[in-house]
Amino acid sequence: MTLDSAAAPLHIDPLLDDPATRIIVCCGSGGVGKTTTAAALGVRAAERGRKVVVLTIDPARRLAQSMGIDSLDNTPRQVKGVRGPGELHAMMLDMKRTFDEIVEAHADPERARAILENPFYQSLSAGFAGTQEYMAMEKLGQLRSRDDWDLIIVDTPPSRSALDFLDAPKRLGSFLDGKFIRLLMTPAKMGGRAGMKFLNVGMSMMTGTLGKLLGGQFLRDVQTFITAMDTMFGGFRTRADATYRLLQAPGTAFLVVAAPERDALREAAYFVERLAAEEMPLAGLVLNRVHGSGAARLSAERARAAAENLEDSRIVDQGAGNAQSRGSAAPEGSSPEASGTHEPLEAAVPVVAADSVVPAEPVVPTEPVVPASPHASDESDASDVSDVPAMPADSAAPESVASGTASVTTSDAISDAASVTTVEQLTAGLLRLHAERMQVLAREERTRDRFTALHPEVAVAEVPALPGDVHDLAGLRAIADRLAAGGTTG
């Protein structure tokens, strides 16, 4: 499949080489190759001279293995084996550890310890809805503020919807600004006896309904957590807003990653529209795992018709062979070559009796055959001769030659017939496989053309599918090469 002329080509190398490009965000629905794309971009940028860090949120260990690292954690680790003047570092987001670092950085030691030991906080930091996406933005803000790398590549979290990454800050902000949280924060803000009185009244009201559903201990854990986090809530919202503005800055580039499938490209279209609505810079679309064919001129219909012709020919040949074996004699003067079809094995190979073969000229042995003497002194010669029955010299040679000729003729004919049948079967099977591949190509082209028709302004780079999985830096380089070449037309 080649890039449609209506779609603008996405040039990856100029994007990576531009020093103004400081952040690249790879986003898209799950299972489309975001992590591999982010890693391949990191390898190519580093080998072209950039100092790169790749932040992945994918909990799988594929990225670490492909980069030759035993494991990835919340600390960037340098990748060995990168060619060129640049550097490549990689890290995997540890959601809970990132949350802990925020608490430790923005609270005094006593309050930080109270928060970290709070049961509600432990549940919140480990799996609250949107926490992973929010922490990814927190980590992005931390990396950008350190200024240790001139390019940060972010692999967004795997989720059902690619929009979760953009919605996370607002979702967490809605949680922090919710009526339930504000109610629990009121006693801490009032302080003194009035606060304790309000707390008792508030807890007694909530215990009657929520306590039956959630338990009184849970509500007390939440209230304790909110009290300890009171001074930090403003910081959460401030940093989330700052990171959101960072994503809108000119130095950021979004790459929407998709596969040539209907659901993935539909999600990509939604994301393109959302980025435009949020005024975030979109670099283009990366279309992964695109199939191709070196024989695209042979259509699926022609390949399938050719396969059917070959299979029909074999059926006809087998029927003719069966009729011949039932005693139907072939017309005089007919031959397999004249009929234009392959004779079946029984018809193609004549059964010739050895005693019916008469040589054109008598075969005279060059040396007479002399019977061995029973008194021969050579034991080996005597044993050899004794194993062969004695026969007249004038009849042994012609009969043996005739038998040998019939045996060779039969063996060659069987081999030729079997090889012809095997070639026909293999050819028909390959033609059917080609027809299926061309159907896949046609479906991918239709899906892609629908996207480009809706969003002709989006640049596209197509990445041909590899025959196997990526396991090392060489595989990432191969992906990067295909990605860089995928923005060309033709």
Side-chain angles (χ1 to χ4, degrees):
M1 186 165 70
T2 58
L3 192 60
D4 186 71
S5 58
L10 172 60
H11 301 293
I12 292 296
D13 285 342
L15 178 67
L16 299 177
D17 295 340
D18 187 358
T21 304
R22 302 298 303 273
I23 298 174
I24 295 178
V25 182
C26 297
C27 52
S29 57
V32 296
K34 294 193 305 293
T35 300
T36 302
T37 300
L41 289 172
V43 171
R44 191 168 186 87
E47 294 186 343
R48 296 176 70 87
R50 303 295 297 270
K51 190 174 182 181
V52 189
V53 59
V54 177
L55 168 63
T56 179
I57 294 91
D58 189 355
R61 305 300 177 188
R62 296 189 308 267
L63 179 61
Q65 294 171 356
S66 63
M67 290 185 170
I69 300 175
D70 294 335
S71 62
L72 292 175
D73 53 23
N74 220 38
T75 303
R77 297 178 180 273
Q78 186 169 1
V79 178
K80 304 296 182 182
V82 174
R83 306 167 185 169
E87 294 182 11
L88 176 61
H89 298 76
M91 63 178 298
M92 184 179 70
L93 177 70
D94 186 330
M95 181 175 62
K96 187 177 186 312
R97 182 58 197 153
T98 301
F99 215 145
D100 293 348
E101 290 174 354
I102 296 172
V103 172
E104 293 169 350
H106 297 89
D108 58 78
E110 182 177 356
R111 179 170 293 189
R113 184 173 61 254
I115 295 173
L116 297 178
E117 294 176 354
N118 184 273
F120 178 74
Y121 167 79
Q122 293 174 358
S123 299
L124 173 68
S125 60
F128 184 77
T131 304
Q132 187 180 50
E133 289 81 2
Y134 176 80
M135 288 303 145
M137 299 191 70
E138 278 278 354
K139 181 58 68 175
L140 173 60
Q142 292 177 8
L143 294 174
R144 184 66 180 86
S145 63
R146 289 170 58 179
D147 206 25
D148 291 336
W149 299 274
D150 56 24
L151 178 61
I152 303 170
I153 300 178
V154 182
D155 164 37
T156 56
S159 59
R160 285 182 11 185
S161 173
L163 305 179
D164 290 347
F165 182 70
L166 295 179
D167 291 333
K170 293 182 179 179
R171 188 184 301 117
L172 188 61
S174 299
F175 168 74
L176 297 178
D177 290 334
K179 295 180 179 179
F180 179 67
I181 298 299
R182 289 204 305 269
L183 177 63
L184 294 177
M185 289 175 62
T186 302
K189 292 181 177 180
M190 296 178 62
R193 293 182 178 179
M196 292 302 299
K197 182 178 180 180
F198 182 87
L199 174 62
N200 292 334
V201 174
M203 289 299 294
S204 62
M205 288 189 301
M206 289 186 295
T207 301
T209 53
L210 294 177
K212 294 180 181 179
L213 300 174
L214 305 176
Q217 183 61 45
F218 173 79
L219 294 177
R220 284 190 290 271
D221 290 339
V222 173
Q223 199 278 333
T224 303
F225 165 75
I226 297 299
T227 301
M229 292 283 289
D230 179 29
T231 58
M232 296 181 58
F233 284 151
F236 276 108
R237 284 188 292 268
T238 300
R239 287 190 302 276
D241 292 341
T243 305
Y244 205 75
R245 289 193 299 271
L246 182 64
L247 294 176
Q248 294 174 317
T252 300
F254 279 83
L255 286 176
V256 178
V257 184
E261 300 168 359
R262 184 177 59 183
D263 292 341
L265 279 174
R266 183 187 296 116
E267 192 81 10
Y270 292 155
F271 208 104
V272 166
E273 296 166 2
R274 174 66 183 276
L275 290 174
E278 299 290 339
E279 299 181 351
M280 292 188 175
L282 172 64
L285 170 73
V286 174
L287 202 57
N288 272 333
R289 304 166 188 162
V290 176
H291 294 89
S293 174
R297 295 174 60 184
L298 178 60
S299 66
E301 292 76 12
R302 291 175 58 194
R304 193 179 297 107
E308 291 174 354
N309 288 338
L310 284 174
E311 292 170 347
D312 291 344
S313 174
R314 287 186 64 247
I315 294 173
V316 171
D317 291 344
Q318 290 175 356
N322 292 336
Q324 185 98 357
S325 65
R326 287 193 297 268
S328 59
E332 293 184 2
S334 64
S335 65
E337 292 79 0
S339 64
T341 60
H342 297 291
E343 290 285 335
L345 192 59
E346 294 85 349
V349 182
V351 180
V352 182
D355 56 0
S356 66
V357 177
V358 180
E361 296 180 0
V363 179
V364 181
T366 57
E367 296 181 5
V369 178
V370 181
S373 172
H375 305 288
S377 59
D378 192 343
E379 296 180 358
S380 62
D381 292 343
S383 63
D384 292 341
V385 174
S386 64
D387 292 339
V388 181
M391 59 184 66
D394 58 350
S395 63
E399 187 172 350
S400 64
V401 170
S403 300
T405 303
S407 175
V408 171
T409 303
T410 304
S411 176
D412 291 345
I414 292 174
S415 176
D416 291 344
S419 64
V420 168
T421 302
T422 302
V423 168
E424 290 178 347
Q425 290 175 335
L426 288 176
T427 304
L430 289 174
L431 286 169
R432 289 196 176 279
L433 286 176
H434 177 74
E436 293 176 2
R437 170 58 64 91
M438 294 306 297
Q439 286 181 325
V440 171
L441 264 64
R443 183 173 66 250
E444 291 181 353
E445 288 180 356
R446 290 193 301 270
T447 306
R448 179 209 59 193
D449 290 345
R450 281 196 292 268
F451 176 87
T452 55
L454 291 173
H455 303 282
E457 75 286 356
V458 178
V460 180
E462 295 184 356
V463 183
L466 285 177
D469 294 333
V470 176
H471 300 290
D472 51 20
L473 283 178
L476 291 176
R477 287 192 190 95
I479 291 290
D481 292 341
R482 295 178 177 222
L483 181 58
T488 58
T489 59

